[in-house]
């Protein structure tokens, strides 16, 4: 090969490589464009009303504006993240992103029910979509504080909710015609506390409905016969001063007010239409409520917790007890036209914010409907919207779900 041909060949190779690099960069850019990042808004003046996070920092939310036909639709999504039920755990939490907006990410990825792609979130993509950041440790229900010398831990979830809603009312929520209040995990639990409140705040002018994703925490004994979630919620309600903010109808019907922290008792007294999105084998409840470490001191369940396919036949039989408890708690609401359900048999926890589980080619389905499709059918009253899966391991659409 002579020198001229060599240079021509080298130039061609360089051109091909450059073109490939440009294409790769374009593809990467396109991928980044699909990843919707939304900035944080600190609630102005919230501190003056005592609406602060555990560490005293101001509350926050992330808002992505709606457009077109969805400009007067609002989707409010409570962030999840567990709880604190005593002074040491709340003090520890105050120094993390779960108790301080100073330590939170200032940009949040909006996907799933929060996404803005009509092909991936067909019913809510053009609504105003808000993520309410979680920093009180009490599912937005408490109103108290704990003082230890010169330090103060603020448990002001109710005031945070009030402050965020007051700010959003000035940004268009007051003129909403359709609203969906939702949340994941501890945020899903928060929907039970504020569902009816939101409708009252909007004065009946908007269609308000609520959805709990992985927030249907059960009042259930663990595998050793003990009930560890009752004393946990009892101490949480007492410490955080949450009793006065729980459902009044529920409080009037029980001798133990903290029981109204459990959705199965609160839901009976909620008048707003409701959708329950939950796994019958909710991974969090499996790991921390049904088989907590205290019930398995020798770690016999460790492999099963890490990988459900490694569960023994007897362990699977035991796990059917968790599903039975879930279905028993939901039984009173079966057939109720205003109550929607997607109760699958995947070992999952929170399925609305992840695109793969909300609406994608390989999403979990029940009766050939994805979660997004069934929630949309329920909200817009397009047909029956209650689906309950068969028992594990029958559901082949669970393959893309990773246990927590």
């Amino acid at each position: 090969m002579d020198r001229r041909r060599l240079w021509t060949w080298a130039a061609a190779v360089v051109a091909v490589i450059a073109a490939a690099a440009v294409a790769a960069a374009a593809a990467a850019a396109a991928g980044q464009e699909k990843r919707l990042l939304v900035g944080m808004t600190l609630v102005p003046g919230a501190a003056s009303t005592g609406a602060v996070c555990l560490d005293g920092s101001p509350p926050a939310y992330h808002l992505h504006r709606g457009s077109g036909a969805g400009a007067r639709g609002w989707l409010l999504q409570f962030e999840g993240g567990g709880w604190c039920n005593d002074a040491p755990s709340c003090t520890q939490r105050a120094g993390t992103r779960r108790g301080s907006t100073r330590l939170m990410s200032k940009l949040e990825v909006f996907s799933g029910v929060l996404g803005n792609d009509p092909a991936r979130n067909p019913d809510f993509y053009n609504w105003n979509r808000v993520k309410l950041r979680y920093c009180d440790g009490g599912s937005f229900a408490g109103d108290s504080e704990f003082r230890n010398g010169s330090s103060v831990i603020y448990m002001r979830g109710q005031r945070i909710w009030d402050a965020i809603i007051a700010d959003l009312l000035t940004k268009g929520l007051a003129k909403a015609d359709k609203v969906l209040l939702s949340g994941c995990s501890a945020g899903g639990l928060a929907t039970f506390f504020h569902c009816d409140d939101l409708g009252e705040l909007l004065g009946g002018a908007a269609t308000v409905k609520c959805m709990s994703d992985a927030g249907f925490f059960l009042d259930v004994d663990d595998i050793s016969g003990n009930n560890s979630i009752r004393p946990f919620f009892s101490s949480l309600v007492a410490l955080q001063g949450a009793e006065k903010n729980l459902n009044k109808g529920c409080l009037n019907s029980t001798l133990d007010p903290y029981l109204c922290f459990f959705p199965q008792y609160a839901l009976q007294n909620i008048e707003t239409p409701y959708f329950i999105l939950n796994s019958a084998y909710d991974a969090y409840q499996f790991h921390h409520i049904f088989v907590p470490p205290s019930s398995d001191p020798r770690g016999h369940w460790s492999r099963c917790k890490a990988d459900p396919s490694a569960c023994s036949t007897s362990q699977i039989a035991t796990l059917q007890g968790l599903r039975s408890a879930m279905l028993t708690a939901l039984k009173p609401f079966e057939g109720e036209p205003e109550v929607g359900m997607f109760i699958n048999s995947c070992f999952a926890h929170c399925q609305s914010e992840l695109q793969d589980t909300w609406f994608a080619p390989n999403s979990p389905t029940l009766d050939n409907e994805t979660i997004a499709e069934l929630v949309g059918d329920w909200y817009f009253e397009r047909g029956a919207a209650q689906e309950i899966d068969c028992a594990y391991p029958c559901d082949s659409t669970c393959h893309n779900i990773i246990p927590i």
Side-chain angles (χ1 to χ4, degrees), residues 81-84 93 184-186 214-218 229 232-233 236 278-293 305 322 346-350 402-404:
W83 312 272
C84 59
R93 189 180 178 96
C184 153
S185 192
F216 203 82
F217 294 96
L218 293 167
I229 191 64
F232 183 90
F233 277 173
L236 187 161
N278 230 100
S279 166
Y281 307 89
D282 181 88
Y284 181 90
Q285 297 195 60
F286 167 26
H287 291 190
H288 302 286
I289 298 174
F290 194 62
V291 191
K305 284 182 173 182
L322 179 60
C346 308
F347 285 80
H349 185 67
C350 291
I402 300 172
I404 59 170

Side-chain angles (χ1 to χ4, degrees), residues 304-335:
C304 177
K305 284 182 173 182
D307 178 9
S309 67
C311 297
S312 68
T313 302
S314 63
Q315 287 173 326
I316 292 297
T318 300
L319 277 172
Q320 303 306 353
L322 179 60
R323 176 176 182 268
S324 295
M326 177 74 68
L327 299 190
T328 298
L330 291 172
K331 189 71 176 176
F333 312 105
E334 283 187 41

